[in-house]
């Protein structure tokens, strides 16, 4: 923690900007708490300069696995600078950006993050506005489609309409990693619900899809629930099959090793018998020679 604090201060000095006092205070509190792997800067109203320095500090940092930046009043520029550094981070598994009113540029930056980062597993984006910006949200969904690590995504209250839902559905058709997706309290509607239902005909790995508060007809919601149930059953079957395969593989390996041991033991026995027979033959020859001399 102290190394991270010093890195942040050094980068601020090199850039000719004052370290944000609230950030230093929070870093000191985290150090005192000895929490180790969680950096919580929620509610700190981060400046653009702090976002830039934090992004650079996090780029090569291997300490934090959780980064909480909810309600930080992030600007579009600050968001881009912060997420740029996280693109190359290899330890952060949880990123919470709840309540920052992220818009088009933020959505694009998040899309690039999802394209490049290989370790992020949970992303919380509740109470933002990325669904309002068609181009930015398209980049975000493209990143989601190609991502290979994210398993949980929270998009509650992001003003996602049926067009945004169509973009998400395209991403789900290509993504096989995401397990939980929360889309509650958007404006997906009938067309968006149909698009997502269609995506679930191809996506068999998503296990939980929350859709309440989207003005989606009940029959489509039931169909989505059925698809989730089928995916869950399929996942359970695959997991059981995988477990059985592992057990069977271990048994086969044991039998192979046991067979090898038996073969080695047999070879040792044969060699021993051969040596004994050779010794017996030599002894007999010696005795026969002695008898002939008599």
């Amino acid at each position: 923690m102290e190394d991270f604090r010093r890195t942040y201060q050094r980068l601020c000095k090199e850039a000719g900007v004052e370290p944000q006092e609230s950030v230093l205070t929070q870093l000191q509190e985290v150090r005192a708490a000895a929490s180790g792997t969680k950096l919580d800067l929620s509610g700190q109203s981060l400046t653009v300069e702090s976002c830039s320095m934090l992004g650079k500090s996090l780029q090569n940092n291997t300490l934090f696995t959780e980064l909480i930046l909810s309600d930080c009043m992030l600007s579009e520029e600050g968001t881009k600078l912060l997420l740029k550094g996280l693109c190359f981070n290899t330890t952060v598994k949880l990123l919470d950006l709840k309540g920052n009113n992220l818009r088009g540029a933020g959505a694009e930056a998040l899309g690039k993050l999802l394209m490049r980062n290989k370790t992020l597993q949970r992303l919380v984006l509740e109470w933002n506005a990325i669904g309002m910006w068609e181009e930015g949200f398209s980049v975000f969904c493209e990143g989601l489609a190609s991502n290979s690590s994210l398993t949980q995504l929270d998009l509650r209250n992001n003003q996602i309409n049926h067009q945004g839902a169509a973009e998400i559905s395209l991403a789900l058709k290509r993504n096989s990693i995401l397990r939980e997706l929360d889309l509650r309290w958007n404006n997906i509607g009938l067309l968006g619900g149909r698009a997502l239902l269609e995506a679930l005909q191809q996506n068999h790995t998503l296990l939980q899809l929350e859709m309440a508060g989207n003005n989606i007809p009940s029959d489509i919601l039931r169909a989505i629930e059925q698809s989730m149930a089928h995916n869950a059953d399929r996942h359970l079957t695959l997991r059981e099959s995988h477990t059985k395969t592992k057990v069977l593989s271990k048994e086969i390996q044991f039998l192979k090793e046991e067979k090898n041991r038996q073969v080695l033991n047999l070879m040792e026995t044969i060699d021993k018998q051969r040596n004994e027979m050779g010794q017996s033959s030599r002894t007999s020859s010696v005795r026969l020679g002695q008898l002939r001399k008599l």
Side-chain angles (χ1 to χ4, degrees):
M1 172 57 67
E2 186 60 28
D3 288 342
F4 184 84
R5 191 170 186 268
R6 283 198 294 264
T7 299
Y8 171 71
Q9 290 178 304
R10 175 178 58 79
L11 290 172
C12 287
K13 183 177 180 180
E14 291 175 355
V17 299
E18 284 293 322
Q20 191 168 334
E21 194 60 37
S22 59
V23 173
L24 291 176
T25 300
Q26 186 62 27
L27 289 175
Q28 187 64 36
E29 290 178 0
V30 173
R31 178 191 176 194
S35 59
T37 60
K38 181 178 180 180
L39 177 57
D40 188 347
L41 296 174
S42 56
Q44 294 301 318
S45 299
L46 299 177
T47 64
V48 172
E49 292 78 13
S50 275
C51 287
S52 178
M53 299 306 109
L54 285 171
K56 292 178 180 179
S57 300
L58 287 165
Q59 183 170 331
N60 298 310
N61 182 266
T62 57
L63 174 63
F64 300 116
T65 59
E66 298 182 21
L67 181 57
I68 313 299
L69 299 172
S70 57
D71 302 309
C72 286
M73 299 180 66
L74 298 178
S75 66
E76 294 282 84
E77 184 63 23
T79 301
K80 289 193 293 183
L81 292 170
L82 182 62
L83 296 182
K84 181 179 179 181
L86 280 175
C87 284
F88 305 100
N89 181 280
T90 59
T91 54
V92 172
K93 293 180 172 58
L94 164 62
L95 175 59
D96 187 343
L97 292 170
K98 175 184 176 181
N100 280 292
N101 196 31
L102 301 182
R103 301 186 181 185
E108 289 187 21
L110 285 165
K112 293 176 181 177
L113 172 69
L114 292 177
M115 290 178 192
R116 297 172 183 171
N117 186 282
K118 307 300 181 185
T119 53
L120 188 65
Q121 296 178 3
R122 183 183 176 194
L123 179 58
V124 180
L125 296 173
E126 182 185 3
W127 285 111
N128 283 286
I130 63 174
M132 290 181 61
W133 310 89
E134 185 175 338
E135 185 175 341
F137 194 66
S138 178
V139 175
F140 171 79
C141 290
E142 182 63 29
L144 177 62
S146 62
N147 183 268
S148 60
S149 63
L150 195 71
T151 59
Q152 296 175 277
L153 176 58
D154 186 345
L155 286 172
R156 285 175 290 173
N157 292 289
N158 265 277
Q159 302 187 45
I160 300 170
N161 58 19
H162 68 278
Q163 292 174 317
E167 292 284 354
I168 294 175
S169 69
L170 291 175
L172 290 178
K173 290 178 181 180
R174 294 166 52 192
N175 184 292
S176 61
I177 303 299
L178 193 66
R179 296 292 181 267
E180 299 178 18
L181 175 59
D182 196 337
L183 292 172
R184 286 178 289 177
W185 314 115
N186 285 288
N187 191 31
I188 290 173
L190 170 64
L191 296 179
R194 285 177 176 173
L196 290 167
L197 181 59
E198 179 189 352
L200 295 177
Q201 306 307 309
Q202 294 181 227
N203 184 303
H204 302 306
T205 53
L206 189 67
L207 303 178
Q208 183 175 332
L209 177 57
E210 299 289 348
M211 298 289 291
N214 275 288
N215 297 315
I216 299 175
S218 58
D219 59 328
I220 294 180
L221 288 176
R222 284 195 298 270
I224 289 175
E225 290 176 359
Q226 290 174 356
S227 294
M228 289 296 93
H230 291 157
N231 283 0
D233 290 342
R234 186 179 292 106
H235 179 72
L236 180 60
T237 301
L238 289 174
R239 188 170 61 182
E240 290 176 347
S241 176
H242 181 66
T243 301
K244 291 178 181 178
T245 300
K246 287 179 64 177
V247 172
L248 184 59
S249 297
K250 288 182 179 179
E251 291 179 352
I252 292 174
Q253 184 63 30
F254 173 78
L255 291 174
K256 286 182 178 179
E257 292 174 356
E258 183 64 24
K259 182 179 179 180
N260 289 336
R261 282 195 294 269
Q262 291 176 357
V263 170
L264 289 174
N265 290 336
L266 179 60
M267 292 178 65
E268 289 177 359
T269 301
I270 292 173
D271 288 340
K272 184 178 180 181
Q273 290 177 347
R274 184 181 293 116
N275 291 333
E276 290 176 350
M277 290 176 64
Q279 182 66 33
S280 176
S281 177
R282 287 192 294 272
T283 302
S284 298
S285 297
V286 171
R287 289 180 179 177
L288 182 60
Q290 291 174 343
L291 290 173
R292 285 176 177 173
K293 289 179 180 180
L294 294 175

